[in-house]
Amino acid sequence: MRSQRPAQALRRGLLALAATAALLPSAFAQSPIVIKFSHVVATDTPKGKAAEFFAKRAAELTKGKVKVEVYPNSQLYKDKEEMEALQLGSVQMLAPSLSKFAPLGVKEFEAFDLPFIFDDYNDLHAVTQGPVGAKLLKKLESRGITGLAYWDNGFKVMSANKPLKAVEDYKGVKMRIQSSKVLDAQMRAVGALPQVLAFSETYQALQTGVVDGTENPPSNLYTQKMHEVQKHLSITNHGYLGYAVVVNKKFWDGLPADVRAALNKAMAESTKVANDVAFQDNQDALAKVKAAGKTTIYQPTLGERFLLKKAMFPVHKQMSSRIGEETINEIYKVTNFDPTKM
Ligand code: LMR
């Protein structure tokens, strides 16, 4: 029966393989599944708090099948590196600011950086909680990234070591910005000299005079102690800073369906936490900056704010071919903004 030997050998081989496979845990059979969630801000910020809440709810709703490890304050990665780490699968979850997605090639996200595009959170939510926001998140998939939610932070203030009241005051001031061409154009529109720096490098750059000033929502400014090295702050509310919570697509698609459903629920609850605390946190941070007594806080007059808007508004047109006119027009539409009235 020599002819049966190869068949027997093959069968024996297959059985051995099956036995080994049964012993090998599938990628997610080991417990718990670990999600490394890296971010660059302090724990005591809207993003930091929402990330902690997500970790807690993810554990509860998956009954311990998932463990979310949150790494705040650029502990693991700085801005640029964290995006790379996500794509490589070294971390599974991030919540970068919307200004940081264009370097991936998804330039439409820079629409969120356009100065004075949103009057308030209502305008913003009309975008982030509607079809325009969903469409933008979908664009990340071709980069191996799945967008799960938008989390609020808030409207930005300008700070520097000199008062920034009139448009002319910005002339020649070196301003740290995030890696966004729209923010670059916005600063140039008022004669400032923008410089891209990682968030984690900003405090030191301000302290050593590498840059003179920056823009951020008060919660970021205060929790990074930037007010200790900035003598002046103007409540310009000229632009918005918020986040997209993103996961590595391959990791996410590979999760068991029940785990993914539980995580989606945890994410929906965390989004509510982020958005509920954002406004108040920024108000509180401003009050704390004031109480610290190192920074003069200036509230621009309506006239000064109007002139700032007038100076910065041409950036919408200037950047429209980069961002995509379609995206900008969709945002104008849902926020009932008429650019011809500018
Ligand atoms: C910044 O770099 O200023 C912000 O994007 C930091 C953050 O994540 O809020």
Side-chain angles (χ1 to χ4, degrees):
M1 306 287 278
R2 283 177 77 87
S3 63
Q4 282 182 351
R5 272 196 194 144
Q8 277 171 349
L10 182 66
R11 210 180 50 208
R12 258 204 310 273
L14 283 175
L15 280 175
L17 205 63
T20 316
L23 287 176
L24 274 176
S26 83
F28 295 113
Q30 69 265 53
S31 185
I33 298 165
V34 174
I35 295 181
K36 288 198 168 89
F37 185 162
S38 169
H39 70 81
V40 300
V41 295
T43 303
D44 191 22
T45 54
K47 174 160 68 178
K49 288 177 188 171
E52 295 298 330
F53 181 84
F54 175 72
K56 178 173 161 284
R57 290 300 283 148
E60 287 166 4
L61 291 170
T62 63
K63 304 197 168 46
K65 279 191 211 154
V66 170
K67 182 169 191 293
V68 179
E69 294 172 356
V70 183
Y71 297 92
N73 256 326
S74 309
Q75 244 171 50
L76 280 190
Y77 300 106
K78 296 197 244 174
D79 297 324
K80 193 163 159 285
E81 290 88 331
E82 71 172 14
M83 281 292 193
E84 285 160 9
L86 182 76
Q87 287 179 301
L88 291 171
S90 313
V91 291
Q92 290 69 38
M93 188 173 276
L94 307 174
S97 94
L98 302 167
S99 319
K100 292 174 183 166
F101 287 92
L104 289 180
V106 195
K107 298 183 185 127
E108 291 88 340
F109 274 83
E110 284 184 353
F112 288 101
D113 293 332
L114 287 168
F116 296 95
I117 193 164
F118 305 115
D119 276 343
D120 50 31
Y121 284 103
N122 287 338
D123 273 0
L124 171 82
H125 292 159
V127 177
T128 53
Q129 296 173 9
V132 181
K135 192 168 148 189
L136 288 173
L137 289 183
K138 263 255 165 289
K139 289 186 189 287
L140 297 172
E141 302 217 333
S142 62
R143 302 295 187 277
I145 292 173
T146 300
L148 298 182
Y150 290 95
W151 284 357
D152 283 349
N153 190 336
F155 289 84
K156 293 177 284 187
V157 298
M158 296 279 197
S159 64
N161 278 325
K162 60 173 280 199
L164 297 173
K165 296 181 178 175
V167 173
E168 299 75 54
D169 296 336
Y170 289 84
K171 202 164 172 13
V173 181
K174 283 180 275 166
M175 297 292 275
R176 177 268 168 174
I177 56 162
Q178 305 174 80
S179 58
S180 155
K181 290 280 185 282
V182 169
L183 297 179
D184 184 281
Q186 170 205 272
M187 290 300 185
R188 288 185 196 283
V190 290
L193 306 172
Q195 191 164 329
V196 173
L197 286 175
F199 185 64
S200 57
E201 290 161 4
T202 305
Y203 176 88
Q204 211 188 352
L206 290 168
Q207 189 187 35
T208 56
V210 168
V211 288
D212 307 310
T214 187
E215 55 162 17
N216 238 302
S219 57
N220 277 352
L221 179 112
Y222 177 73
T223 52
Q224 295 297 318
K225 301 189 169 41
M226 291 182 203
H227 62 289
E228 293 182 357
V229 289
Q230 292 281 265
K231 290 200 179 73
H232 295 271
L233 180 160
S234 275
I235 310 175
T236 45
N237 292 333
H238 59 282
Y240 172 76
L241 188 153
Y243 310 106
V245 188
V246 291
V247 279
N248 177 294
K249 183 172 179 334
K250 207 160 149 213
F251 168 81
W252 187 250
D253 292 347
L255 288 172
D258 62 325
V259 170
R260 217 174 26 241
L263 292 178
N264 271 324
K265 186 164 190 299
M267 184 52 63
E269 292 179 15
S270 312
T271 300
K272 194 167 171 345
V273 167
N275 297 357
D276 283 353
V277 301
F279 176 75
Q280 196 53 47
D281 268 23
N282 282 306
Q283 291 291 106
D284 293 350
L286 258 186
K288 287 177 191 160
V289 170
K290 196 169 179 190
K294 298 201 163 150
T295 318
T296 306
I297 299 181
Y298 182 68
Q299 176 68 66
T301 63
L302 282 180
E304 282 164 346
R305 193 163 179 273
F306 174 75
L307 291 176
L308 188 64
K309 185 170 179 178
K310 204 159 163 236
M312 289 180 166
F313 194 73
V315 171
H316 287 226
K317 228 189 167 50
Q318 196 186 328
M319 288 288 131
S320 67
S321 61
R322 175 179 166 87
I323 297 167
E325 269 190 53
E326 191 189 326
T327 302
I328 298 181
N329 287 333
E330 282 172 346
I331 295 179
Y332 286 166
K333 196 157 170 233
V334 294
T335 56
N336 294 315
F337 179 74
D338 182 356
T340 60
K341 295 235 171 83
M342 260 313 292

